[in-house]
Amino acid sequence: MKFGFGMPHMTRLKASLQPWEARVTGPDQLHMAQRAEQLGYDMIAVPEHFVVPVSHIDLSGPHYFHGIAGMAALAGATRTIRVNSCIMILPLQNPIVTAKGLSTIDWISGGRTVVTFGVGWDKAEFDILGVPFHERGAMADEYLAAMIELWTKD
């Protein structure tokens, strides 16, 4: 059995937020990641949205990290626990930049990177970022193929 640790203050979802979580700082999170590792947890997940439209704040919460930056910080503060992108919205990424960022974290961390991609659901987020929402599935397929090519070929 594997155990993941849900870091406080990674998101601010009303359904799961405890009042004390808003006071958790970045250094606090690094310390909690280290403690989760000491306790034998297997993975920390770093959720990501780039933009949360005002109309979705009640549903999604107003606060998300940049996934790659968050994963890198947590991987750098720990030695054995895996870091997961949970969930990186692939059509909103540049596949070359994302492949390089993830492979850098993976190499520096000794192979502890886990990637979970999704295609997204919030059309408003896509609209704000200028990405065609109805093409996101095809874009994700193309981006994933490009990233696999970059990770596996010379």
Side-chain angles (χ1 to χ4, degrees), residues 79-124:
R79 298 292 167 251
T80 59
I81 199 165
R82 295 171 94 55
V83 290
N84 182 7
S85 65
C86 180
I87 291 173
M88 189 173 282
I89 305 170
L90 188 52
L92 298 180
Q93 311 286 334
N94 176 298
I96 297 168
V97 174
T98 300
K100 186 164 189 109
L102 291 170
S103 63
T104 299
I105 297 168
D106 195 59
W107 185 83
I108 288 174
S109 72
R112 294 186 288 127
T113 302
V114 177
V115 182
T116 306
F117 289 123
V119 296
W121 61 270
D122 188 350
K123 185 178 182 306

Coordinates of all heavy atoms in Angstrom, one line a residue, residues 79-124:
R79 N 14.5 13.7 0.4 CA 15.4 12.8 -0.2 C 14.8 11.5 -0.8 O 15.4 10.9 -1.7 CB 16.5 12.4 0.8 CG 17.3 13.5 1.3 CD 18.2 14.1 0.2 NE 18.8 15.4 0.6 CZ 18.4 16.6 0.1 NH1 17.5 16.6 -0.9 NH2 19.0 17.7 0.5
T80 N 13.6 11.1 -0.3 CA 13.1 9.9 -0.8 C 11.6 9.9 -1.3 O 11.2 9.2 -2.1 CB 13.1 8.8 0.3 OG1 12.4 9.3 1.5 CG2 14.6 8.5 0.7
I81 N 10.9 10.9 -0.7 CA 9.4 10.9 -1.1 C 9.3 11.4 -2.5 O 10.0 12.2 -3.0 CB 8.7 11.9 -0.1 CG1 7.2 11.6 -0.1 CG2 9.0 13.3 -0.3 CD1 6.4 12.2 1.1
R82 N 8.3 10.8 -3.2 CA 8.0 11.2 -4.6 C 7.2 12.5 -4.6 O 6.4 12.8 -3.7 CB 7.3 10.1 -5.3 CG 8.2 8.8 -5.4 CD 7.5 7.6 -5.9 NE 7.5 7.4 -7.4 CZ 8.6 7.2 -8.1 NH1 9.8 7.4 -7.6 NH2 8.5 7.0 -9.4
V83 N 7.4 13.2 -5.7 CA 6.6 14.5 -5.9 C 5.7 14.3 -7.2 O 6.3 13.9 -8.2 CB 7.4 15.7 -6.0 CG1 8.0 16.0 -4.6 CG2 8.5 15.6 -7.0
N84 N 4.5 14.6 -7.1 CA 3.5 14.3 -8.2 C 2.9 15.6 -8.6 O 2.6 16.5 -7.8 CB 2.4 13.4 -7.7 CG 1.4 13.0 -8.7 OD1 1.5 13.4 -9.9 ND2 0.3 12.3 -8.3
S85 N 2.7 15.7 -9.9 CA 2.2 16.9 -10.5 C 0.7 17.1 -10.4 O 0.1 18.1 -10.8 CB 2.5 16.9 -12.0 OG 1.8 15.9 -12.7
C86 N 0.0 16.3 -9.8 CA -1.4 16.1 -9.6 C -2.3 17.4 -9.6 O -2.5 18.0 -8.6 CB -1.6 15.4 -8.2 SG -3.3 15.2 -7.7
I87 N -2.9 17.8 -10.5 CA -2.9 17.4 -11.9 C -2.4 18.5 -12.8 O -2.9 19.6 -12.6 CB -4.3 17.0 -12.4 CG1 -4.8 15.7 -11.6 CG2 -4.5 16.9 -13.9 CD1 -6.2 15.3 -11.9
M88 N -1.5 18.3 -13.7 CA -1.0 19.3 -14.6 C -1.8 19.3 -15.8 O -2.0 18.3 -16.4 CB 0.5 18.9 -14.9 CG 1.2 20.0 -15.7 SD 2.9 19.6 -15.9 CE 3.5 20.0 -14.2
I89 N -2.4 20.5 -16.1 CA -3.3 20.6 -17.3 C -2.4 20.7 -18.5 O -1.9 21.8 -18.9 CB -4.2 21.8 -17.1 CG1 -5.0 21.7 -15.8 CG2 -5.2 21.9 -18.3 CD1 -5.8 22.9 -15.4
L90 N -2.3 19.6 -19.2 CA -1.3 19.5 -20.3 C -1.6 20.5 -21.5 O -0.6 21.1 -21.9 CB -1.3 18.1 -20.9 CG -0.2 17.8 -21.9 CD1 1.2 18.2 -21.4 CD2 -0.2 16.3 -22.2
P91 N -2.8 20.7 -21.9 CA -2.9 21.7 -23.1 C -2.6 23.1 -22.7 O -2.4 23.9 -23.6 CB -4.4 21.6 -23.4 CG -4.9 20.3 -22.8 CD -4.0 20.1 -21.6
L92 N -2.4 23.4 -21.4 CA -2.0 24.8 -21.1 C -0.5 24.9 -20.9 O 0.0 26.0 -20.5 CB -2.7 25.2 -19.7 CG -4.2 25.2 -19.8 CD1 -4.8 25.6 -18.4 CD2 -4.7 26.2 -20.9
Q93 N 0.2 23.9 -21.2 CA 1.7 23.8 -21.1 C 2.4 23.9 -22.4 O 1.8 23.5 -23.4 CB 2.1 22.5 -20.4 CG 1.4 22.1 -19.2 CD 1.8 22.9 -18.0 OE1 2.8 23.4 -17.9 NE2 0.9 22.9 -17.0
N94 N 3.6 24.5 -22.4 CA 4.4 24.3 -23.6 C 5.1 23.0 -23.4 O 5.8 22.7 -22.4 CB 5.4 25.4 -23.7 CG 6.4 25.3 -24.8 OD1 7.1 24.3 -24.9 ND2 6.4 26.2 -25.7
P95 N 4.9 22.0 -24.4 CA 5.4 20.7 -24.2 C 6.9 20.6 -24.0 O 7.5 19.7 -23.3 CB 4.9 19.9 -25.3 CG 4.6 20.9 -26.4 CD 4.2 22.1 -25.7
I96 N 7.7 21.4 -24.7 CA 9.1 21.4 -24.7 C 9.6 21.9 -23.3 O 10.4 21.3 -22.6 CB 9.8 22.1 -25.8 CG1 9.4 21.5 -27.2 CG2 11.3 22.2 -25.7 CD1 9.7 22.3 -28.4
V97 N 9.1 23.0 -22.9 CA 9.4 23.6 -21.6 C 9.0 22.7 -20.5 O 9.8 22.5 -19.5 CB 8.8 25.0 -21.5 CG1 9.1 25.6 -20.1 CG2 9.4 26.0 -22.6
T98 N 7.8 22.1 -20.6 CA 7.4 21.3 -19.5 C 8.2 20.0 -19.4 O 8.6 19.5 -18.3 CB 5.9 20.9 -19.8 OG1 5.1 22.2 -19.7 CG2 5.3 20.0 -18.7
A99 N 8.5 19.4 -20.6 CA 9.3 18.2 -20.6 C 10.7 18.5 -19.9 O 11.2 17.6 -19.2 CB 9.5 17.7 -22.0
K100 N 11.3 19.6 -20.3 CA 12.6 19.9 -19.7 C 12.4 20.2 -18.2 O 13.3 19.7 -17.4 CB 13.1 21.2 -20.4 CG 14.5 21.5 -19.9 CD 15.2 22.4 -20.9 CE 16.7 22.5 -20.5 NZ 17.5 21.9 -21.5
G101 N 11.4 20.9 -17.8 CA 11.3 21.2 -16.3 C 11.1 19.9 -15.5 O 11.7 19.7 -14.5
L102 N 10.2 19.0 -16.0 CA 9.9 17.7 -15.3 C 11.1 16.8 -15.3 O 11.4 16.2 -14.3 CB 8.7 17.0 -15.9 CG 7.4 17.7 -15.7 CD1 6.3 17.1 -16.5 CD2 7.0 17.7 -14.2
S103 N 11.8 16.8 -16.4 CA 13.0 15.9 -16.5 C 14.1 16.4 -15.6 O 14.9 15.7 -15.0 CB 13.5 15.7 -17.9 OG 13.9 16.9 -18.5
T104 N 14.2 17.8 -15.5 CA 15.2 18.4 -14.6 C 14.9 18.0 -13.1 O 15.8 17.5 -12.4 CB 15.3 19.9 -14.8 OG1 15.6 20.2 -16.1 CG2 16.3 20.5 -13.8
I105 N 13.7 18.1 -12.7 CA 13.3 17.7 -11.4 C 13.6 16.2 -11.1 O 14.1 15.8 -10.1 CB 11.8 18.0 -11.1 CG1 11.5 19.5 -11.1 CG2 11.4 17.5 -9.7 CD1 10.1 19.8 -11.2
D106 N 13.2 15.4 -12.1 CA 13.4 14.0 -12.0 C 14.9 13.6 -11.9 O 15.3 12.8 -11.0 CB 12.8 13.3 -13.2 CG 12.6 11.8 -12.9 OD1 11.9 11.4 -12.0 OD2 13.2 11.0 -13.7
W107 N 15.7 14.2 -12.7 CA 17.1 13.9 -12.6 C 17.8 14.4 -11.3 O 18.5 13.6 -10.7 CB 17.9 14.6 -13.8 CG 19.3 14.2 -13.9 CD1 19.8 13.1 -14.4 CD2 20.4 14.9 -13.4 NE1 21.2 13.1 -14.3 CE2 21.6 14.2 -13.7 CE3 20.5 16.2 -12.7 CZ2 22.8 14.7 -13.3 CZ3 21.8 16.6 -12.4 CH2 22.9 15.9 -12.7
I108 N 17.5 15.6 -10.9 CA 18.1 16.2 -9.7 C 17.6 15.4 -8.5 O 18.4 15.2 -7.5 CB 17.8 17.7 -9.6 CG1 18.6 18.4 -10.6 CG2 18.1 18.2 -8.2 CD1 18.4 19.9 -10.7
S109 N 16.3 14.9 -8.5 CA 15.8 14.3 -7.3 C 16.1 12.8 -7.3 O 15.7 12.1 -6.4 CB 14.3 14.5 -7.3 OG 13.6 13.7 -8.3
G110 N 16.8 12.3 -8.3 CA 17.1 10.8 -8.3 C 15.9 10.0 -8.8 O 15.8 8.9 -8.4
G111 N 15.1 10.5 -9.7 CA 14.0 9.7 -10.2 C 12.7 9.7 -9.4 O 12.0 8.8 -9.4
R112 N 12.4 10.8 -8.7 CA 11.3 10.8 -7.8 C 10.1 11.6 -8.3 O 9.1 11.8 -7.6 CB 11.7 11.4 -6.4 CG 12.7 10.5 -5.7 CD 12.9 11.0 -4.3 NE 13.7 12.3 -4.3 CZ 13.4 13.4 -3.6 NH1 12.3 13.5 -3.0 NH2 14.2 14.4 -3.7
T113 N 10.1 11.9 -9.6 CA 9.0 12.7 -10.2 C 7.9 11.8 -10.7 O 8.2 10.8 -11.4 CB 9.5 13.6 -11.3 OG1 10.5 14.4 -10.8 CG2 8.4 14.4 -11.9
V114 N 6.7 12.0 -10.4 CA 5.5 11.4 -10.9 C 4.7 12.4 -11.6 O 4.5 13.5 -11.0 CB 4.7 10.7 -9.8 CG1 3.4 10.1 -10.3 CG2 5.5 9.7 -9.0
V115 N 4.2 12.1 -12.8 CA 3.5 13.1 -13.5 C 2.0 12.6 -13.7 O 1.8 11.5 -14.2 CB 4.1 13.4 -14.9 CG1 3.3 14.5 -15.7 CG2 5.5 13.8 -14.7
T116 N 1.1 13.4 -13.4 CA -0.3 13.2 -13.7 C -0.9 14.3 -14.5 O -0.9 15.4 -14.1 CB -1.1 13.1 -12.4 OG1 -0.5 12.1 -11.5 CG2 -2.6 12.6 -12.7
F117 N -1.2 14.0 -15.8 CA -1.7 15.0 -16.7 C -3.2 14.9 -16.8 O -3.8 13.8 -16.7 CB -1.1 14.8 -18.1 CG 0.3 15.2 -18.2 CD1 1.2 14.2 -18.7 CD2 0.8 16.4 -17.9 CE1 2.6 14.5 -18.8 CE2 2.1 16.7 -18.0 CZ 3.0 15.8 -18.5
G118 N -3.9 16.0 -17.0 CA -5.3 16.1 -17.4 C -5.4 17.0 -18.5 O -4.5 17.7 -18.9
V119 N -6.6 17.1 -19.1 CA -6.9 17.9 -20.2 C -7.7 19.2 -19.8 O -7.8 20.1 -20.6 CB -7.7 17.2 -21.3 CG1 -6.9 16.1 -21.9 CG2 -9.0 16.7 -20.9
G120 N -8.1 19.3 -18.6 CA -8.8 20.5 -18.1 C -10.2 20.4 -18.3 O -10.8 19.7 -19.1
W121 N -10.9 21.2 -17.5 CA -12.4 21.2 -17.6 C -13.0 22.7 -17.6 O -14.1 22.9 -18.0 CB -13.0 20.5 -16.4 CG -12.6 21.1 -15.1 CD1 -11.5 20.8 -14.3 CD2 -13.3 22.2 -14.4 NE1 -11.5 21.6 -13.2 CE2 -12.6 22.5 -13.2 CE3 -14.5 22.9 -14.6 CZ2 -12.9 23.5 -12.3 CZ3 -14.8 23.9 -13.7 CH2 -14.1 24.1 -12.6
D122 N -12.2 23.6 -17.2 CA -12.7 25.0 -17.0 C -12.4 25.8 -18.3 O -11.3 26.3 -18.5 CB -11.9 25.6 -15.8 CG -12.5 27.0 -15.4 OD1 -13.3 27.5 -16.2 OD2 -12.2 27.4 -14.3
K123 N -13.4 26.0 -19.1 CA -13.3 26.7 -20.3 C -12.8 28.1 -20.1 O -12.0 28.7 -20.9 CB -14.6 26.7 -21.1 CG -14.5 27.4 -22.5 CD -15.8 27.3 -23.2 CE -15.7 27.9 -24.6 NZ -15.2 29.2 -24.7
A124 N -13.3 28.7 -19.1 CA -12.9 30.1 -18.8 C -11.4 30.3 -18.6 O -10.7 31.2 -19.0 CB -13.6 30.7 -17.6

